[in-house]
Amino acid sequence: MDENFYTSTEASQITGCSRRQLQYWRDKSVVVPTVNPSGKGRNVYYSDSDLLALTVMEYLLSIGLSFELCQHVLGILKARESWMFDESVAKREMKRLMLVPDSQEQLRELVDFDRGLAMETIDRGSPVVPFWSDRIHQRLRENLRSFER
């Protein structure tokens, strides 16, 4: 698959993130553009995998998670689920995950989705946040289709 590259303005329009968010995340090394990462504005270019990372951040923030928690989850995904940032990954290879509290009851563990564990966690009065990689990929594909029109 040919790699596509997008300016900050295009990446902002595609993902729904503001240009200021993109710059802040670049400054904090959360999502760094593939081409010219230290440049400004139109001088930087985001790849398809960068857009997926931006879409993850936008999704997690949109459901009310803190910036720090979103950054933590993105780090886990990049380290343990790096396949997720490949736009060409087959749908059948997608995973459904969930964010659950750790031993200190902080919402910080990302595990394979398990309905029983989810219900057990909720019954304890703790939160569970579903994270389905197929939905992230679908969200980005839909945004790209809308952008190309």
Side-chain angles (χ1 to χ4, degrees):
M1 179 177 147
D2 293 330
E3 187 79 44
N4 296 309
F5 295 99
Y6 305 89
T7 65
S8 296
T9 300
E10 292 169 334
S12 172
Q13 292 169 347
I14 292 165
T15 62
C17 302
S18 72
R19 290 189 60 198
R20 178 69 192 111
Q21 280 178 307
L22 298 183
Q23 183 176 346
Y24 181 74
W25 296 345
R26 181 173 62 232
D27 293 345
K28 295 288 184 186
S29 298
V30 177
V31 180
V32 179
T34 298
V35 178
N36 195 15
S38 62
K40 301 284 185 219
R42 287 194 166 290
N43 296 329
V44 300
Y45 292 91
Y46 292 88
S47 67
D48 292 323
S49 62
D50 296 334
L51 291 184
L52 280 163
L54 293 172
T55 302
V56 167
M57 284 294 291
E58 188 277 328
Y59 166 72
L60 294 171
L61 287 167
S62 76
I63 61 172
L65 300 181
S66 70
F67 171 77
E68 291 77 17
L69 184 54
C70 296
Q71 185 177 10
H72 173 75
V73 171
L74 183 62
I76 291 172
L77 289 168
K78 285 181 173 182
R80 288 196 338 226
E81 311 289 345
S82 60
W83 58 267
M84 191 189 147
F85 299 96
D86 180 356
E87 177 59 28
S88 65
V89 69
K91 187 169 183 164
R92 69 181 177 282
E93 296 174 32
M94 297 284 180
K95 289 172 84 175
R96 293 192 166 183
L97 305 165
M98 62 185 185
L99 192 59
V100 296
D102 61 13
S103 58
Q104 285 80 40
E105 289 299 312
Q106 297 292 315
L107 193 62
R108 295 184 62 82
E109 294 295 318
L110 194 62
V111 298
D112 288 342
F113 184 81
D114 177 304
R115 185 177 302 275
L117 176 60
M119 293 310 297
E120 197 178 293
T121 304
I122 291 168
D123 285 344
R124 276 197 332 258
S126 296
V128 172
V129 177
F131 183 88
W132 297 351
S133 60
D134 56 330
R135 298 247 172 109
I136 296 295
H137 277 254
Q138 178 183 355
R139 188 178 204 158
L140 178 57
R141 280 192 302 274
E142 289 169 1
N143 289 351
L144 281 167
R145 274 195 294 274
S146 294
F147 175 74
E148 291 167 356
R149 288 188 196 136

